[in-house]
Amino acid sequence: MTESADDARHKAKMENRKAVQDAEVASKTVEKGLLIVHTGKGKGKSTAAWGLMLRAIGRGFRIGVVQFGKGAWETGERKAIAAFGDQVSWHTLGEGFTWETQDRARDVAAAERAWAKAKELMADPAIRLLVLDELNIALRYDHLPIGDVVAALAARRPDLHVVVTGRNAKPELIEAADLVTEMNLVKHHFAAGVKAQEGIEY
Amino acid sequence: MTESADDARHKAKMENRKAVQDAEVASKTVEKGLLIVHTGKGKGKSTAAWGLMLRAIGRGFRIGVVQFGKGAWETGERKAIAAFGDQVSWHTLGEGFTWETQDRARDVAAAERAWAKAKELMADPAIRLLVLDELNIALRYDHLPIGDVVAALAARRPDLHVVVTGRNAKPELIEAADLVTEMNLVKHHFAAGVKAQEGIEY
């Protein structure tokens, strides 16, 4: 086959693909705040939430963040968002994962405080994106009742996007969500003895 | 079983889990720039790269970004990072995916320009994190020779982290990588007729 016949075939194939894509995009018309879940055992669940936060910052949205895990106060992402002043309302309210604190009553109390803050931010009409970081962990250990959480998320304002992160997302949350991504680990440098790297993992 | 017996059992289980975690963390001692790949058909591949960029910004790193896809000039993430001035060196050099341009020679030329910029940034000792957004697409269509790309990445400075995004990562790249995450789609709002949302998807 000559080069030009090859090119022509490629062009025809790509024209067809573009037509399919264009038709698909045109068929989507509904605007709504999305309930997004990042789950799975891989990296990138919280990190992709920070990427969404950055995108929303660029659109001028006000953003709320509630961390149900203990968070590290000095993470790179927290330092960076200081540049955006009060455009981001950030609350690290977890006390640590349950295997750190070894005190279930304390974990439940921390989860309840974090959830109260989440509900307060959901009620603030200025907030357009709310990140509930590691909420899935609190739900997984039944520190919060899944029914109450899903009901409150389903009843949110129509223009509020919510991102929930953490492994082991409960089926009830997945059912309620608009967009669910599972981050799976294919390969990890810890296996080669490489430690967590500043600027990448914290 | 009484509440306190339950609590004691929980505490013992969590103490054990913490010991395992602490020992694992202590065993990781190597510091190195990581080659990170975000692949899979799900959302969050580029978004998680922007989250890493934000984290690295907070650590004071200088960052390079080369977009092998056409990118949209007015994305939220680009607008937001303007706040960090020349800490981020951003280059959108792709011409669009091949099914948009329908011109393979042009796609190859664009990929070569983007790769030349990537090599230039890799040679700049001030850059600590380099994001090669959608490079996997260019490799998948053989717009760039995989062997050359993997060799250049393997020969990078020891303190340079590189993140490569895009679906269909080639096996040679996965083999060379330190950390590979596959983002898989569990559920997507497009299926319910919901369109791409400003501040979330662009």
Side-chain angles (χ1 to χ4, degrees):
Chain A
M1 200 163 59
T2 65
E3 184 63 29
S4 66
D6 215 12
D7 282 355
R9 201 161 73 167
H10 175 80
K11 189 167 192 297
K13 188 171 154 195
M14 292 300 140
E15 274 174 358
N16 180 50
R17 183 147 176 192
K18 178 160 163 58
V20 169
Q21 286 243 336
D22 288 351
E24 199 176 307
V25 168
S27 72
K28 315 307 175 196
T29 53
V30 180
E31 298 234 23
K32 66 169 291 211
L34 302 175
L35 176 55
I36 299 171
V37 176
H38 295 168
T39 192
K41 294 191 198 312
K43 306 283 289 183
K45 299 182 288 292
S46 297
T47 316
W50 310 145
L52 283 174
M53 175 177 71
L54 188 67
R55 183 168 292 161
I57 285 170
R59 292 291 170 204
F61 289 8
R62 281 211 70 204
I63 294 142
V65 177
V66 179
Q67 291 194 292
F68 287 76
K70 75 178 161 181
W73 278 89
E74 280 299 302
T75 54
E77 53 274 28
R78 277 205 75 154
K79 289 176 88 153
I81 58 139
F84 303 106
D86 65 1
Q87 199 180 344
V88 182
S89 176
W90 189 298
H91 307 271
T92 301
L93 293 170
E95 298 258 327
F97 297 117
T98 187
W99 57 88
E100 292 282 347
T101 65
Q102 298 161 25
D103 182 341
R104 182 173 167 84
R106 191 173 133 178
D107 292 342
V108 169
E112 286 171 350
R113 275 195 302 277
W115 177 237
K117 176 58 74 177
K119 284 194 287 191
E120 182 191 318
L121 293 168
M122 284 172 74
D124 176 353
I127 301 276
R128 292 285 307 279
L129 170 67
L130 177 61
V131 179
L132 302 178
D133 187 42
E134 304 284 21
L135 171 57
N136 286 336
I137 311 283
L139 291 171
R140 193 244 175 131
Y141 288 106
D142 296 317
H143 294 166
L144 294 170
I146 179 74
D148 291 2
V149 169
V150 168
L153 292 174
R156 73 192 184 281
R157 285 174 284 123
D159 65 346
L160 177 66
H161 300 288
V162 178
V163 184
V164 177
T165 78
R167 54 174 71 186
N168 297 301
K170 289 218 168 183
E172 295 92 328
L173 182 66
I174 290 175
E175 173 64 30
D178 298 293
L179 173 61
V180 180
T181 303
E182 193 175 76
M183 278 71 171
N184 292 318
L185 183 65
V186 175
K187 187 174 182 182
H188 200 294
H189 51 289
F190 281 8
V194 178
K195 66 194 275 196
Q197 304 290 308
E198 183 188 66
I200 293 294
E201 282 151 318
Y202 59 95
Chain B
M1 198 163 58
T2 66
E3 184 66 25
S4 66
D6 215 13
D7 282 356
R9 200 161 75 166
H10 175 80
K11 189 167 191 298
K13 187 171 152 194
M14 291 300 138
E15 274 174 359
N16 180 50
R17 183 148 174 191
K18 179 162 164 54
V20 170
Q21 287 242 337
D22 289 351
E24 199 175 306
V25 169
S27 72
K28 315 307 176 195
T29 53
V30 180
E31 298 234 23
K32 65 168 292 209
L34 301 175
L35 176 55
I36 299 171
V37 176
H38 296 168
T39 192
K41 294 191 198 310
K43 307 282 288 183
K45 299 182 289 292
S46 297
T47 316
W50 310 145
L52 283 174
M53 176 178 71
L54 188 67
R55 184 168 289 161
I57 285 171
R59 294 290 171 204
F61 288 9
R62 281 211 70 204
I63 294 141
V65 177
V66 179
Q67 292 194 293
F68 287 75
K70 76 178 160 180
W73 279 89
E74 279 299 302
T75 53
E77 54 273 29
R78 278 205 74 154
K79 289 176 90 150
I81 57 141
F84 303 106
D86 66 1
Q87 199 180 343
V88 182
S89 177
W90 189 298
H91 308 270
T92 301
L93 293 170
E95 299 258 326
F97 296 117
T98 188
W99 56 88
E100 293 282 348
T101 65
Q102 299 160 24
D103 181 341
R104 182 174 166 85
R106 191 174 132 176
D107 292 343
V108 170
E112 286 172 349
R113 275 195 302 277
W115 178 237
K117 176 57 74 177
K119 284 194 286 190
E120 182 191 317
L121 292 168
M122 285 171 75
D124 176 352
I127 301 277
R128 292 286 307 279
L129 170 67
L130 177 61
V131 179
L132 302 177
D133 188 42
E134 304 284 21
L135 170 57
N136 285 337
I137 311 282
L139 292 171
R140 194 245 174 127
Y141 286 106
D142 297 317
H143 294 166
L144 295 169
I146 180 74
D148 291 2
V149 169
V150 167
L153 291 174
R156 74 191 183 280
R157 286 173 284 124
D159 65 346
L160 177 66
H161 300 288
V162 178
V163 184
V164 176
T165 78
R167 55 173 72 187
N168 296 303
K170 290 219 166 180
E172 296 91 328
L173 182 66
I174 289 174
E175 175 62 29
D178 297 294
L179 173 61
V180 180
T181 304
E182 193 176 75
M183 278 71 172
N184 291 316
L185 184 67
V186 176
K187 187 175 182 180
H188 201 294
H189 51 288
F190 282 6
V194 178
K195 66 194 270 195
Q197 304 290 306
E198 182 188 66
I200 294 293
E201 281 151 319
Y202 59 96

